[in-house]
Amino acid sequence: MQAIELLLNRRSWGRLTEPGPDKCDLETIIQAGLRSPDHGALHPWRFIIAEGDGLLRLGDIYQQAAVANGADEAAIQKAQNMPQRAPLVITVVACVTPDHKIPEVEQVLSAGCAAHAMQMAAQALGYGGIWRTGAMSYDDKVKADLGLKGKEQIVGYLYLGSLVNEPSATKKLDPDDFVSYL
Ligand SMILES: Cc1cc2nc3c(=O)[nH]c(=O)nc-3n(C[C@H](O)[C@H](O)[C@H](O)COP(=O)(O)O)c2cc1C
């Protein structure tokens, strides 16, 4: 796929199925994440891969957080099943170094770029994906159970897999609504 075609046609796919990226494609996807812009060469990111039993473990972590938060039975069940929406989920973590000359927001942006780059790489390889956050990105118990330390943050869960259907058409935005010139 041509790079410009990919950039102009990036999409998210909420409905994903097997197969997910194989070992070789996953390596490529991760390499794309590792090429993200990075002020100060801090490499302020890490990626936690869940597939197969890992998705069950991620579901257990969500389920336990929902229980701890006093959710009702339906919400607990929903939380447990969330990672099953794709064959592979990458938790993208921003490894923020506090009190550094590189502001924290730049470190988080860098990790966000990694999530975006990995979604783009997956699309270029023929997979679909969606970047999700939601309550499970900000829950302290989930962060602890996933092994986050200090000021580490979850910038998102990147769900990746094969396409079930074509997504609905996107609305093309008018650059004039977003661009001005000095
Ligand atoms: C930081 C971030 C968090 C997001 N969280 C969610 C989410 O939790 N659930 C969701 O359905 N979409 C979420 N989205 C939006 C989707 O990833 C996607 O961009 C949106 O559905 C629009 O589709 P498109 O990417 O094809 O334009 C999030 C996007 C970003 C950048």
Side-chain angles (χ1 to χ4, degrees):
M1 188 183 285
Q2 293 292 316
I4 205 71
E5 187 193 337
L6 175 67
L7 287 164
L8 294 179
N9 294 295
R10 185 206 58 79
R11 287 304 319 265
S12 299
W13 280 268
R15 294 191 62 209
L16 298 164
T17 189
E18 299 284 351
D22 62 22
K23 200 172 173 335
C24 176
D25 287 342
L26 181 57
E27 169 77 23
T28 302
I29 289 165
I30 290 168
Q31 289 289 353
L34 296 177
R35 277 305 309 138
S36 296
D38 174 10
H39 193 180
L42 292 175
H43 313 146
W45 50 59
R46 62 190 182 90
F47 314 130
I48 304 169
I49 313 289
E51 50 188 342
D53 287 349
L55 293 172
L56 296 174
R57 281 194 284 280
L58 188 57
D60 287 345
I61 289 172
Y62 287 176
Q63 187 250 9
Q64 286 157 20
V67 170
N69 291 330
D72 63 27
E73 199 47 52
I76 292 168
Q77 193 61 49
K78 187 175 171 202
Q80 175 131 39
N81 291 335
M82 279 194 303
Q84 301 298 329
R85 292 176 290 185
L88 190 144
V89 177
I90 304 176
T91 305
V92 181
V93 178
C95 308
V96 176
T97 305
D99 305 320
H100 193 279
K101 68 176 180 181
I102 308 301
E104 290 184 22
V105 64
E106 294 190 16
Q107 300 178 46
V108 176
L109 283 168
S110 199
C113 287
H116 186 241
M118 290 192 287
Q119 185 182 12
M120 299 288 266
Q123 184 169 331
L125 291 166
Y127 300 99
I130 185 165
W131 179 348
R132 297 183 187 272
T133 48
M136 295 301 164
S137 290
Y138 307 106
D139 188 283
D140 286 338
K141 180 167 167 49
V142 169
K143 288 196 255 183
D145 289 351
L146 282 170
L148 272 66
K149 303 264 186 281
K151 294 202 80 172
E152 286 189 330
Q153 301 175 29
I154 295 170
V155 299
Y157 298 98
L158 188 59
Y159 285 64
L160 299 179
S162 294
L163 311 183
V164 174
N165 56 353
E166 281 302 311
S168 53
T170 46
K171 184 168 168 264
K172 208 165 188 318
L173 299 177
D174 183 349
D176 288 347
D177 293 338
F178 302 92
V179 177
S180 61
Y181 292 85
L182 286 179

